[in-house]
Amino acid sequence: MTKEIKIGNVFIGGSNKVAVQSMTNTATCDICATVKQISSLENVGCEIVRVAVTSEEDASAIQAIKKQINIPLVADIHFDYRLAISAIKHGADKIRINPGNIDSDEHLKEVTNTAKKYNIPIRIGVNGGSLNKSSLDKYGNTAEALVDSALNYVKFFESSNFFNIVLSVKSSSVKKTVDACRLLAQKTDYPQHVGITESGAGDSAKAKSAIGIGSLLLDGVGDTIRVSLTEDPIEEVLFAKEILRAIGKDGNYCEVVSCPTCGRCKFDLIGVARQVKQYVANVKKPLKIAVMGCVVNGPGEAKEADLGLAGGNGKVVFFKKGEVYRTVDSSNVLEEFKKEIDLII
């Protein structure tokens, strides 16, 4: 079990649930636009949000942004240690830095001293493009190098008497990221933020993230996650939720299961399944709904469903926990389904 770390009003690590993160793509100094986007992210389930701090204007905007949001705010800083210090002083709940691109150990120590004074954590973020030279020379651009680089920074932070640490080791390679996170978990109990960096856009990016993040969470590795997509940040949060649900880490939702189509199917399984899923999308209750193509795959294979339907020749049967209890005309299946699901939600 990892150490428990407090980020604003959210605890990660230990026995706490996995927290979903995303990052704004607005100019942080545009306070109205940034608050608007964070509010949208909150509404779809984002639990920690990160903003880019590229200037003093960005850093000072944190104070005003914090007053208008409800989730912890993380400041993302590269290169300029002074921006990290300013972000902390303006109320950031956590900062993310890559120590390898801070220009000196002295300046890095100023950052840890300030974080210690304000009692906020620092995420040490290491990725394949920013390994420290000694790790790169020793291991090449490998998972071992990512871990070695991160642990070297941990030693430096600890030598400065700073232990309020979150770690991340990321690569655009799914295998390298998974190997690195697993190895890191064996060597330290600091909580990890996991994700596949630069995964891209569309289905291929989601596949990379699902495989990488899902594999790690099933291993018990990962305390916060971000699905990094070249898309609207809202898509990151929605897909992160899907990953958590798929591996059983988020039980407070209505799951819809459905069978693949085959020659036995005699009704519009694809269309009905899509509309059923859309209808229950916002149900916050641990239910399982089954939409099955025929009686062969109906009550039997979906006998755990709280409510299920199975199509046939012009007829659809409804069942609960494997027991058929009524039959309706297939032309009315959606209207009848809505009546049935409304009774149990």
Side-chain angles (χ1 to χ4, degrees):
M1 184 178 291
T2 55
K3 293 174 59 175
E4 185 177 76
I5 296 290
K6 185 175 184 288
I7 306 168
N9 57 4
V10 171
F11 287 89
I12 66 166
S15 59
N16 295 289
K17 72 184 183 92
V18 176
V20 174
Q21 292 195 30
S22 187
M23 186 171 182
T24 59
N25 58 17
T26 57
T28 304
C29 59
D30 186 340
I31 295 169
C32 290
T34 302
V35 168
K36 182 179 179 181
Q37 189 170 73
I38 293 174
S39 296
S40 297
L41 291 168
E42 286 183 33
N43 288 337
V44 294
C46 185
E47 294 161 307
I48 300 171
V49 69
R50 184 156 47 112
V51 298
V53 175
T54 63
S55 66
E56 179 55 36
E57 289 76 18
D58 289 339
S60 60
I62 288 172
Q63 187 170 2
I65 293 168
K66 283 267 297 173
K67 292 177 181 178
Q68 302 176 67
I69 65 174
N70 302 301
I71 57 177
L73 187 146
V74 180
D76 187 88
I77 291 98
H78 290 275
F79 306 112
D80 192 339
Y81 78 100
R82 294 167 298 185
L83 294 180
I85 292 171
S86 181
I88 294 169
K89 290 180 177 179
H90 282 97
D93 295 300
K94 180 176 109 179
I95 62 166
R96 184 271 188 182
I97 59 173
N98 185 332
N101 62 35
I102 301 297
D103 62 350
S104 71
D105 287 351
E106 180 183 350
H107 288 158
L108 190 56
K109 193 165 184 178
E110 287 187 47
V111 174
T112 61
N113 286 341
T114 307
K116 190 188 307 180
K117 178 181 177 181
Y118 285 81
N119 194 29
I120 70 162
I122 295 175
R123 170 155 72 94
I124 299 173
V126 178
N127 59 49
S130 58
L131 297 166
N132 68 41
K133 189 175 185 304
S134 64
S135 299
L136 189 60
D137 290 344
K138 187 175 181 180
Y139 295 104
N141 199 338
T142 62
E144 289 78 11
L146 284 166
V147 172
D148 187 67
S149 189
L151 292 178
N152 283 336
Y153 295 136
V154 168
K155 288 177 184 176
F156 178 84
F157 277 40
E158 290 178 339
S159 71
S160 302
N161 201 32
F162 188 85
F163 304 93
N164 201 359
I165 297 169
V166 179
L167 298 174
S168 67
V169 284
K170 292 185 178 182
S171 168
S172 56
S173 161
V174 174
K175 187 177 187 306
K176 190 186 296 184
T177 300
V178 170
D179 288 347
C181 291
R182 286 172 174 165
L183 181 60
L184 186 62
Q186 294 170 13
K187 294 179 176 292
T188 181
D189 65 352
Y190 287 116
Q192 283 196 55
H193 170 73
V194 300
I196 308 300
T197 192
E198 301 167 359
S199 61
D203 290 344
S204 62
K206 290 178 178 179
K208 288 179 182 179
S209 294
I211 293 167
I213 295 172
S215 297
L216 289 166
L217 293 180
L218 286 171
D219 285 346
V221 177
D223 302 282
T224 71
I225 63 172
R226 179 191 177 193
V227 176
S228 298
L229 300 175
T230 312
E231 297 185 26
D232 188 319
I234 287 175
E235 290 300 313
E236 297 187 348
V237 176
L238 293 175
F239 196 69
K241 292 288 185 179
E242 291 291 338
I243 293 173
L244 291 174
R245 289 167 180 174
I247 63 170
K249 293 284 188 181
D250 179 6
N252 195 33
Y253 80 110
C254 185
E255 178 185 12
V256 178
V257 299
S258 56
C259 62
T261 58
C262 73
R264 289 190 296 266
C265 184
K266 301 301 180 184
F267 87 121
D268 182 18
L269 172 64
I270 295 173
V272 171
R274 284 176 177 166
Q275 291 180 74
V276 166
K277 186 173 182 179
Q278 183 178 20
Y279 191 74
V280 301
N282 296 318
V283 174
K284 303 298 183 185
K285 190 174 182 179
L287 295 171
K288 177 175 279 191
I289 308 299
V291 182
M292 310 302 281
C294 68
V295 293
V296 173
N297 289 336
E301 290 193 13
K303 62 184 177 182
E304 294 181 355
D306 298 288
L307 174 64
L309 61 91
N313 276 318
K315 300 292 182 182
V316 173
V317 297
F318 282 91
F319 56 92
K320 293 178 181 179
K321 300 298 183 182
E323 298 295 327
V324 174
Y325 67 96
R326 65 177 297 210
T327 302
V328 302
D329 189 274
S330 60
S331 63
N332 297 324
V333 62
L334 288 169
E335 291 77 9
E336 295 302 319
F337 166 79
K338 292 175 182 179
K339 293 176 185 176
E340 296 292 336
I341 190 65
D342 288 349
L343 291 174
I344 61 176
I345 61 173

